[in-house]
């Protein structure tokens, strides 16, 4: 897989189509996001599947937003999985990136990862290889929905109360592109309260994810106290899909929650 | 929160005034207790009970207290802000306090009136409301009214009776008028009419006089065969893009608009056997009467033809009067013609039209009621009618059948409605801002309506509506500048990331995207302060002045404390 | 719908309420605790009926699971209720 990615990026860099490529770089035993601008550097390019598939993932799109803000005229390539590509689509909708400034180089995810994520589409459309896995059901969501309302309350409050308000979920989220965050607004979320007022803190973020979350699960991985955030946001996506027939990253145009119909 | 101004050093000095409203409030709750309670609230330095806060004495008390106690916030607990907020705000202003630092609570409607039987709870609720208002007042910020210039010109769309009357009125008031008529000639429906009821004046005489007057005025610019293609701007500063008679696009700046595009009389082939010859509509009858020659000896008129049914459920309102008017002229031209008017119920509103009906009966015009479940049937020679009272069928032989069909909305009305962003009702007529309080206004500022595009209107009504709309325009354009409330949305350019999440949420199209700066911005004149953008913005960059998170949350937290 | 003072503002409300009800339900707060009803200023009896019905619904559901004891350091202590 990595050979194909390197081959494609080399082609893009040599052809001068892109100014640089946002991918993962493995140097001195560390993996980190990196902007590749020279073909010679591509030896260090990795996709991040080391011991397990998807064990080193980063919100590369988020770096792309910063690059776009700094160099609005330049075009950059970016490494994407299925979820990242949905993220790109949604970032176009939210006017944070434009397709003419981005070349996606996609890789499909293996079934093991797709199942672990409960990913609806574990492969991008722009890909260096054919899909190798099918969409998977969100088992965690199904399990949670099967519980009674009282039990759900107990479980959520238990996990929410572990929150240390580190903002890791927000900081890693590729769809959190705001400069100022509601969750840091003193009037809404008073400073110095620990844990932050529950479940308000988490519900505020959940509401902000409605019509935006592209279900990449990075928040879940980033959370140091293991709050099953992905399950919460999967539900958010599920409600928006069932009530308004809209799926961020799949559907064109704004979320119905951001459009006021003249009926 | 970097860059946020906080007035932490200003000492809060809130004054609270509790109004007895005579016994209107004090009769049903304990105003003295509410006043004593208010004095204990954080930030309150002065609390006073007034017999009538809105009286001269009450106002004076507020103004003196502002000076004497150096109040920097004023809360009045009394009646409806709708009626009294401007008075209190102005009183604060003349005492040197920014009017936006005033807060009002309605303890009359919400406490004394609705809880008349429960003095104790009404008093407690009044305390709750006062506590909330004081909490909010603490976070109020001074604001400046928004001022913008006005273009003293008016666009009138439609050159029929209503549009011409509006143009005449506006021109007489000294305002420049741009009149846009779609047809080659001015006049609208009046051009086809014979006589105007109830006085019986010649329609052409009325019309020619009006057209003459309007077209000879130097401050009226007339476009015929022309159309409004788009409208930019906002109240006081609209730009009309007109396609003129030659197909050229012309730009005209206007401060306000009057919409008077009229309506169309329904002509439907086959409706009650309509053929345009022996079965015609009232509108087709008018030119025959105008010629002054009438041969038919037996005439049957059918009311509500094509109206008040499944397809068109509304009453066209003026057709009863038209039928009676035309029947009476037929009688004048040809006294021995037999006329029967088949009706469901005669809508001859107003004393003059009621009088017409009595006179028509006196002249021998016959009125026969029919049941909509059994409408009259028009045969080759006779109209068959089932009389609901007697339950028997009778036939009236005829030479001419005249159908009283409704006025229907113009097809291009919906296009105009989108272009102007103004609403229509289910029948395609334009919808005024309020049927009783603002009958000639659209909800959109600076756009007014008159005549049959609003609802079927007689000539007299169209004319008085046209003149009325002109007067409404005057209330805006005869001021030096447009002053609007500062309570509108604002978008912080420092924090906006230009995601445009708010853009399509604005019902007034007040938000636009600045390509250069890559941020969204609010047009303060178009904004009505609904807060949709503020509620949608993911980063609190959009906020509504006077209703910022802190101002709202303080109220919510205050009510929970009770 | 569409009768809103702010034109289509209630369309936005309707969508949010639909969404919030489901989200609350998912985190274990009964959706019936959130209710939306269009009542015009001319419909006092409808308003009273709705509120009465809502109060009854809430009473039947029992106290909110989120209700907690007031912490002594909360600002409510400052306010002396007359």
């Amino acid at each position: 897989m990595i050979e194909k990615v390197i081959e494609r990026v080399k082609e893009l860099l040599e052809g001068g189509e892109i100014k640089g490529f946002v991918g993962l770089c493995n140097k001195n035993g560390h993996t980190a996001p990196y902007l590749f601008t020279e073909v010679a550097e591509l030896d260090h390019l990795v996709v991040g599947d080391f011991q397990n598939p998807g064990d080193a993932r980063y919100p590369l799109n988020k770096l792309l937003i910063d690059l776009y803000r700094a160099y609005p005229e330049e075009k950059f390539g970016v490494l994407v999985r299925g979820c990242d590509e949905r993220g790109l689509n949604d970032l176009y909708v939210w006017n944070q990136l434009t397709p003419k400034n981005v070349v996606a180089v996609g890789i499909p995810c293996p079934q093991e990862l797709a199942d672990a994520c409960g990913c609806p589409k574990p492969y991008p459309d722009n890909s260096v290889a054919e899909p190798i896995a099918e969409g998977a059901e969100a088992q965690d969501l199904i399990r949670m929905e099967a519980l009674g309302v009282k039990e759900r309350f107990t479980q959520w409050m238990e996990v929410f109360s572990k929150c240390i308000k580190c903002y890791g979920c927000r900081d890693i989220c590729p769809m959190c592109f705001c400069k100022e965050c509601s969750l840091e607004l003193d009037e809404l979320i008073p400073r110095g309260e620990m844990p932050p007022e529950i479940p308000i803190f988490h519900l505020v973020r959940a509401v902000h994810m409605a019509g935006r979350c592209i279900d990449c699960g990075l928040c879940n991985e980033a959370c140091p106290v293991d709050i099953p955030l992905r399950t919460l946001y999967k539900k958010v996506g599920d409600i928006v899909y069932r009530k308004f027939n809209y799926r961020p990253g799949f559907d064109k145009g704004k979320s119905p929650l951001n459009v006021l119909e003249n009926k | 929160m970097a860059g946020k101004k906080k007035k932490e050093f200003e000492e809060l000095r809130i004054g609270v005034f509790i109004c007895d409203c005579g016994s209107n409030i004090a009769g049903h709750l304990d105003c003295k207790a509410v006043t004593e309670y208010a004095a204990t609230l954080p930030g309150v330095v002065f609390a006073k009970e007034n017999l009538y806060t809105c009286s001269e004495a009450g106002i004076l008390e507020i103004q003196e207290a502002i000076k004497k106690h150096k109040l920097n916030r004023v809360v009045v607990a009394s009646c409806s802000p709708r009626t009294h907020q401007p008075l209190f705000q102005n009183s604060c202003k003349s005492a040197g306090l920014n009017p936006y630092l005033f807060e009002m609570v309605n303890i009359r409607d919400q406490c004394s009136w609705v809880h008349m039987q429960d003095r104790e709870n009404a008093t407690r609720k009044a305390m709750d409301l006062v506590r909330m208002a004081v909490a909010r007042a603490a976070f109020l910020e001074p604001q400046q009214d928004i001022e913008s210039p006005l273009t003293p010109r008016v666009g009138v769309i439609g050159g029929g009776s209503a549009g011409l009357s509006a143009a005449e009125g506006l021109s007489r008031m000294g305002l420049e008028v741009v009149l846009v008529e779609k047809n080659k000639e001015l006049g609208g429906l009046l051009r086809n009419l014979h006589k105007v009821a109830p006085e019986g004046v010649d329609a052409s005489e009325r019309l020619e006089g009006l057209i003459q007057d309007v077209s000879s005025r130097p401050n009226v610019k007339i476009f015929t065969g022309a159309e409004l293609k788009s409208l930019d701007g906002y109240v006081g500063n609209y730009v009309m893009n007109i396609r003129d008679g030659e197909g050229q696009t012309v730009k005209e700046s206007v401060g306000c608009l009057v919409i008077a595009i009229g309506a169309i009389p329904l002509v439907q082939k086959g409706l009650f056997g309509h053929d345009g010859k022996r079965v015609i509509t009232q509108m087709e009858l008018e030119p025959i009467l105008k010629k002054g020659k009438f041969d038919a000896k037996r005439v049957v008129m059918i009311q509500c033809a094509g109206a008040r049914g499944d397809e068109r459920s509304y009453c066209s309102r003026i057709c009863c009067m038209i039928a009676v008017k035309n029947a009476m002229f037929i009688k004048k031209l040809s006294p021995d013609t037999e006329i029967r008017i088949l009706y469901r119920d005669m809508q001859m509103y107003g004393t003059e039209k009621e009088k017409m009906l009595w006179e028509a009966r006196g002249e021998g015009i016959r009125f026969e009621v029919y049941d909509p479940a059994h409408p009259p049937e028009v045969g080759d020679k006779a109209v068959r009618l089932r009389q609901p009272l007697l339950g028997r069928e009778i036939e009236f032989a005829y030479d001419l059948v005249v159908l009283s069909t409704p006025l229907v909305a113009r097809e291009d009305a919906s296009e105009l409605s989108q272009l102007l962003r103004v609403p229509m009702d289910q029948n395609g007529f334009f919808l005024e801002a309020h049927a009783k309080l603002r009958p000639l206004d659209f909800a959109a500022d600076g756009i007014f309506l008159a005549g049959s595009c609003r609802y079927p209107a007689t000539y007299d009504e169209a004319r008085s509506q046209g003149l009325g709309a002109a007067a409404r325009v005057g209330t805006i354009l005869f001021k030096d500048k447009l002053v609007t409330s500062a309570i509108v949305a604002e978008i912080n350019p420092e924090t906006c990331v230009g995601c445009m999440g708010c853009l399509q949420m604005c019902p007034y199209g007040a938000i636009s995207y600045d390509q250069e700066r890559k941020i969204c911005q609010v047009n303060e004149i178009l904004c009505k302060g609904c807060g949709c953008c503020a509620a949608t913005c993911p980063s609190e960059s959009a906020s509504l002045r006077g209703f910022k998170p802190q101002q709202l949350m303080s109220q919510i937290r205050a009510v929970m404390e009770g | 719908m569409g009768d809103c003072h702010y034109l289509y503002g209630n369309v936005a409300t309707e969508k949010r309420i639909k969404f919030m009800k489901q989200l609350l339900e998912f985190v274990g707060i009964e959706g019936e605790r959130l209710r939306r009803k269009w009542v015009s200023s001319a419909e006092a009896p409808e308003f009273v009926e709705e509120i009465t019905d809502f109060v009854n619904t809430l009473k039947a559901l029992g106290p909110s699971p989120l209700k907690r004891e007031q912490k002594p350091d909360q600002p409510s202590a400052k306010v002396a209720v007359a």
Side-chain angles (χ1 to χ4, degrees):
Chain A
M1 190 82 65
I2 185 66
E3 297 77 26
K4 286 182 181 169
V5 175
I6 291 174
E7 191 186 323
R8 174 84 180 114
V9 176
K10 195 175 163 209
E11 193 181 292
L12 289 168
L13 279 175
E14 279 178 348
E17 195 176 333
I18 56 171
K19 194 80 182 163
F21 182 78
V22 182
L24 294 175
C25 177
N26 191 317
K27 257 187 195 170
N28 310 324
H30 295 288
T31 304
Y34 190 75
L35 175 65
F36 295 87
T37 52
E38 311 281 342
V39 174
E41 297 174 311
L42 293 178
D43 294 346
H44 298 291
L45 178 62
V46 291
V47 296
D49 301 342
F50 298 107
Q51 272 91 38
N52 296 300
D55 57 4
R57 295 201 293 141
Y58 284 90
L60 299 178
N61 288 342
K62 207 159 179 151
L63 304 178
L64 203 57
I65 297 174
D66 288 337
L67 278 173
Y68 175 61
R69 284 180 188 166
Y71 307 98
E73 303 304 323
E74 303 293 352
K75 195 179 211 176
F76 295 95
V78 62
L79 179 70
V80 297
R81 295 173 184 268
C83 50
D84 300 319
E85 193 182 59
R86 296 197 291 274
L88 282 181
N89 291 340
D90 207 23
L91 288 166
Y92 299 151
V93 167
W94 288 91
N95 195 35
Q96 300 303 303
L97 288 175
T98 58
K100 71 171 170 46
N101 296 68
V102 179
V103 178
V105 176
I107 52 166
C109 292
Q111 195 67 52
E112 190 188 347
L113 182 56
D115 289 342
C117 287
C119 180
K121 185 171 171 279
Y123 49 87
D125 290 332
N126 295 301
S127 179
V128 297
E130 290 299 307
I132 48 177
E134 287 175 359
E137 275 194 321
Q139 295 300 336
D140 49 340
L141 182 59
I142 297 169
R143 258 195 312 279
M144 186 56 96
E145 281 181 324
L147 300 176
V149 68
K150 287 210 164 62
E151 202 164 340
R152 280 204 297 271
F153 182 77
T154 315
Q155 292 206 3
W156 280 117
M157 290 305 269
E158 203 179 298
V159 290
F160 286 157
S161 65
K162 294 193 290 180
C163 178
I164 56 165
K165 207 178 164 188
C166 69
Y167 292 109
C169 48
R170 177 202 64 187
D171 292 341
I172 201 144
C173 178
M175 297 312 299
C176 273
F177 45 70
C178 297
K179 285 187 197 163
E180 188 169 276
C181 179
S182 299
L183 294 178
E184 285 185 76
L185 203 66
D186 261 355
E187 296 90 57
L188 292 178
I189 310 287
R191 209 180 300 193
E193 228 178 78
M194 199 61 70
E197 192 177 350
I198 56 170
I200 290 291
F201 182 85
H202 300 275
L203 292 187
V204 168
R205 188 166 143 75
V207 169
H208 283 215
M209 282 295 111
R212 276 215 278 181
C213 174
I214 42 89
D215 189 20
C216 67
L218 285 170
C219 48
N220 214 92
E221 291 175 13
C223 182
V225 295
D226 293 330
I227 302 174
L229 291 166
R230 185 167 205 173
T231 312
L232 182 63
Y233 305 141
K234 269 184 190 292
K235 181 63 190 178
V236 166
D238 180 63
I239 300 170
V240 175
Y241 185 44
R242 279 192 294 123
K243 293 278 169 198
F244 309 112
N245 198 29
Y246 179 86
R247 285 193 300 172
F250 286 96
D251 294 307
K252 297 238 180 304
K254 284 244 155 71
S255 146
L257 290 163
N258 288 85
V259 179
L260 199 55
E261 290 94 344
N262 174 351
K263 269 193 206 140
Chain B
M1 292 280 155
K4 227 178 197 183
K5 277 182 261 165
K6 284 206 173 165
K7 298 183 189 67
E8 284 170 39
F9 303 110
E10 187 191 32
E11 185 202 359
L12 209 50
R13 300 187 66 82
I14 305 175
V16 184
F17 299 84
I18 311 289
C19 180
D20 291 348
C21 198
S23 63
N24 210 349
I25 296 173
H28 308 287
L29 58 86
D30 189 344
C31 287
K32 184 161 174 282
V34 178
T35 312
E36 282 166 6
Y37 171 69
T40 68
L41 293 171
V44 175
V45 295
F46 183 77
K48 180 87 176 58
E49 182 182 354
N50 307 115
L51 187 57
Y52 291 101
T53 310
C54 65
S55 68
E56 208 180 325
I59 296 290
L60 209 61
E61 221 153 1
I62 294 177
Q63 294 179 325
E64 276 170 4
I66 290 174
K67 287 169 191 157
K68 191 171 163 202
H69 299 279
K70 299 193 172 57
L71 301 181
N72 51 19
R73 302 286 190 282
V74 168
V75 174
V76 169
S78 60
C79 54
S80 170
R82 271 239 183 166
T83 55
H84 282 69
Q85 180 150 326
L87 170 75
F88 293 130
Q89 279 190 316
N90 285 333
S91 311
C92 289
K93 195 176 168 186
S94 48
L97 183 70
N98 185 293
Y100 291 93
L101 297 175
F102 169 81
E103 174 71 2
M104 191 163 171
V105 198
N106 187 345
I107 60 167
R108 183 194 63 180
D109 300 18
Q110 291 172 18
C111 300
S112 78
W113 279 0
V114 288
H115 305 296
M116 250 176 207
Q117 326 302 340
D118 191 348
R119 190 175 176 88
E120 197 181 318
N121 276 320
T123 305
R124 269 182 48 200
K125 187 172 169 186
M127 289 175 178
D128 287 345
L129 293 179
V130 169
R131 183 175 66 249
M132 288 169 75
V134 166
R136 187 175 122 85
F139 291 105
L140 288 177
E141 297 164 320
Q143 313 278 0
Q144 293 305 317
D145 283 339
I146 297 158
E147 295 183 353
S148 58
L150 292 162
T151 309
R153 302 178 88 218
V154 189
V156 176
I157 312 300
S161 330
L164 285 167
S165 302
E168 184 202 339
L170 290 163
S171 162
R172 279 179 192 274
M173 292 194 293
L175 290 167
E176 268 184 55
V177 178
V178 180
L179 179 63
V180 182
E181 166 59 48
K182 206 167 199 174
N183 287 323
K184 292 261 172 287
E185 287 174 302
L186 297 171
L189 279 186
L190 196 55
R191 189 162 280 287
N192 304 330
L193 296 192
H194 170 225
K195 298 266 184 184
V196 175
E199 301 92 338
V201 183
D202 272 353
S204 49
E205 199 177 298
R206 274 278 157 87
L207 182 63
E208 287 317 320
L210 196 51
I211 293 177
Q212 198 71 46
D213 181 86
V214 171
S215 32
S216 64
R217 293 180 167 273
N219 60 352
V220 180
K221 192 169 177 180
I222 300 172
F223 290 93
T224 52
E227 213 179 327
L228 179 68
K229 296 307 282 184
S230 65
L231 183 73
D232 301 322
Y234 43 85
V235 56
N237 298 282
Y238 284 112
V239 176
M240 304 196 294
N241 295 302
I242 302 165
R243 205 204 53 214
D244 72 5
E246 268 87 60
Q248 303 293 314
T249 302
V250 185
K251 280 188 190 299
E252 292 286 351
S253 297
V254 292
C256 291
L257 276 94
V258 176
I259 308 303
I261 62 166
I264 307 262
L266 177 74
V267 179
Q268 190 179 321
K269 270 255 135 58
L271 179 72
F272 288 99
H274 179 272
D275 58 5
K277 296 183 188 89
R278 290 183 73 226
V279 182
I280 62 174
T281 66
Q282 293 287 359
M283 196 45 92
E284 290 167 322
L285 173 65
E286 298 269 355
I288 298 174
L289 295 176
K290 214 170 180 175
K291 279 183 197 140
K293 203 162 161 285
F294 196 81
D295 307 324
K297 290 294 165 213
R298 292 162 302 176
V299 176
V300 178
M301 293 185 177
I302 302 175
Q303 298 305 105
C304 306
R308 300 172 71 200
D310 291 338
E311 198 184 336
R312 263 168 245 94
S313 59
Y314 64 94
C315 163
S316 182
R317 214 171 71 103
I318 60 173
C319 343
C320 285
M321 186 274 300
I322 293 170
V324 172
K325 174 197 79 166
N326 284 343
M328 287 168 82
F329 281 114
I330 292 175
K331 275 285 183 196
K332 222 169 250 173
L333 286 172
S334 167
D336 55 345
T337 293
E338 233 175 63
I339 308 174
R340 287 174 198 278
I341 298 181
L342 314 188
Y343 70 97
R344 281 167 61 175
D345 28 34
M346 293 301 286
Q347 300 291 336
M348 301 291 282
Y349 54 91
T351 47
E352 281 177 331
K353 295 186 190 106
E354 182 72 18
K355 201 168 143 249
M356 264 173 77
L357 181 62
W358 282 104
E359 281 168 13
R361 287 183 194 277
E363 286 173 20
I365 296 163
R366 303 281 298 270
F367 291 82
E368 298 277 352
V369 70
Y370 75 84
D371 177 351
H374 302 281
E377 288 167 28
V378 180
D380 277 346
K381 293 198 169 61
V383 177
R384 186 200 293 265
L385 172 78
R386 189 185 141 112
Q387 284 186 313
L389 287 176
L390 300 175
R392 63 169 191 196
E393 299 230 342
I394 45 170
E395 287 197 345
F396 304 114
Y398 70 85
D399 303 316
L400 185 68
V401 172
V402 185
L403 305 177
S404 296
T405 57
L407 283 182
V408 294
R410 294 177 60 102
E411 269 179 21
D412 50 12
S414 65
E415 213 175 292
L416 193 60
S417 129
Q418 285 177 3
L419 186 154
L420 301 170
R421 298 174 74 104
V422 296
M424 295 191 309
D425 69 11
Q426 67 269 32
N427 301 312
F429 292 107
F430 288 128
L431 205 58
E432 64 279 70
H434 191 287
K436 297 214 162 27
L437 301 178
R438 294 172 64 197
L440 302 175
D441 301 13
F442 274 117
D445 284 335
I447 309 184
F448 302 88
L449 74 170
S452 292
C453 63
R454 174 178 164 268
Y455 207 78
T458 64
Y459 163 76
D460 280 353
E461 287 162 356
R463 175 151 175 81
S464 55
Q465 287 173 23
L467 292 171
R472 293 294 297 152
V473 169
T475 63
I476 295 178
L477 293 188
F478 283 127
K479 293 190 176 127
D480 297 333
K481 58 200 166 203
L482 186 71
V483 179
T484 46
S485 166
I487 303 305
V488 293
E490 59 187 18
I491 294 176
N492 183 348
E494 305 286 322
T495 58
C496 175
V497 289
C499 76
M500 301 199 249
C502 54
L503 200 83
Q504 281 165 280
M505 290 304 284
C506 179
Y508 304 95
I511 299 176
S512 59
Y513 180 67
D514 183 339
Q515 287 289 352
E516 197 110 325
R517 300 164 71 200
K518 293 200 164 65
I519 53 169
C520 289
Q521 51 196 16
V522 179
N523 179 320
E524 295 187 331
I525 312 289
L526 286 177
C527 177
K528 293 278 164 290
C530 72
C532 273
C533 55
T536 309
C537 179
S539 78
E540 319 294 335
S541 296
S543 61
L544 182 60
R545 288 189 199 136
F547 296 88
K548 293 189 173 166
Q550 197 167 27
Q551 293 158 339
L552 291 174
M553 292 307 286
S554 64
Q555 261 188 314
I556 295 171
R557 295 211 166 100
V559 73
M560 303 306 255
E561 282 167 8
Chain C
M1 297 297 256
D3 282 343
C4 179
H5 176 70
Y6 292 116
L7 307 181
Y8 317 108
N10 58 358
V11 176
T13 305
E14 174 73 1
K15 287 186 195 167
R16 272 151 204 251
I17 297 284
K18 266 189 191 165
F19 173 82
M20 271 318 286
K21 255 182 186 296
Q22 299 254 313
L23 183 63
L24 288 176
E25 192 78 30
F26 185 67
V27 295
I29 300 164
E30 298 88 342
E32 298 97 304
R33 293 186 188 275
L34 177 63
R35 188 185 284 206
R36 178 243 91 208
K37 165 107 179 161
W38 310 130
V39 185
S40 92
S41 55
E43 294 173 328
E46 283 87 343
F47 178 72
V48 171
E49 195 182 310
E50 185 66 19
I51 296 297
T52 310
D53 187 65
F54 193 31
V55 169
N56 291 337
T57 304
L58 292 176
K59 277 184 178 158
L61 282 171
S64 157
L66 288 171
K67 197 177 168 90
R68 38 181 189 180
E69 292 303 310
Q70 290 261 324
K71 285 187 224 157
D73 60 339
Q74 280 200 333
S76 60
K78 278 195 289 191
V79 180
V81 178

